[in-house]
Amino acid sequence: MVLSVNEQTFTQEVLESPVPVLVNFEAPWCGLCRIIHPLLSQFQTQCGDELKLVGVNADQNFKLSNTYRLKSLPTLLLIEKGVVRQRLEGFRSRDDLRLALEGIRLAYTNQEKIDTAGVRSQESGVRR
């Protein structure tokens, strides 16, 4: 289940999070927001504890909506250490969103594994 945050909990849950956070700005009346929920749930499962997914009701958190200059819903922001690293909005299809989420997942969940593999490769080359 996606953690719901608001203006009071946003700083603690998102800006001060030790792991990158994908923030889903949505609204109850937004049909596309409901359609992408299964993709976001799958994304959350795949990422485990390496990325956090939270939801923000844009209508009830107007200050956050203005701060992040929302133009359409849903809007997804990848926030790492308080900085917006990626913004996803205006999806043309579920496949567009799926590809974007896959790119985020690969970039953020395999980073340490890639670094470790690189170190091992370098060590292998040195031991010839």
Side-chain angles (χ1 to χ4, degrees):
M1 183 161 168
V2 176
L3 175 65
S4 182
V5 297
N6 57 37
E7 292 166 357
Q8 289 76 33
T9 59
F10 192 83
T11 297
Q12 179 183 354
E13 294 294 339
V14 177
L15 301 179
E16 297 174 351
S17 175
V19 298
V21 181
L22 185 63
V23 181
N24 177 26
F25 283 93
E26 58 187 350
W29 51 262
C30 172
L32 186 55
C33 297
R34 288 190 299 270
I35 290 171
I36 69 167
H37 267 273
L39 290 175
L40 294 175
S41 296
Q42 181 182 25
F43 172 77
Q44 183 179 27
T45 301
Q46 291 172 339
C47 293
D49 294 337
E50 297 178 70
L51 279 166
K52 184 176 6 177
L53 176 65
V54 301
V56 175
N57 183 320
D59 289 344
Q60 293 177 350
N61 296 279
F62 193 68
K63 188 175 177 182
L64 288 174
S65 298
N66 281 335
T67 299
Y68 290 100
R69 298 183 179 139
L70 301 186
K71 296 175 188 164
S72 64
L73 294 178
T75 294
L76 302 171
L77 301 178
L78 179 67
I79 299 178
E80 182 181 24
K81 298 178 183 169
V83 177
V84 176
R85 300 288 183 197
Q86 195 164 352
R87 183 180 192 104
L88 304 173
E89 58 189 349
F91 315 120
R92 289 180 294 244
S93 69
R94 289 172 55 118
D95 287 337
D96 284 349
L97 176 58
R98 186 178 290 118
L99 289 171
L101 292 175
E102 184 65 15
I104 290 170
R105 186 183 67 79
L106 290 173
Y108 282 89
T109 61
N110 289 334
Q111 193 169 11
E112 290 179 31
K113 295 172 188 169
I114 291 169
D115 290 344
T116 303
V119 169
R120 287 184 187 146
S121 299
Q122 290 171 356
E123 290 173 357
S124 299
V126 172
R127 292 181 184 169
R128 287 185 184 172

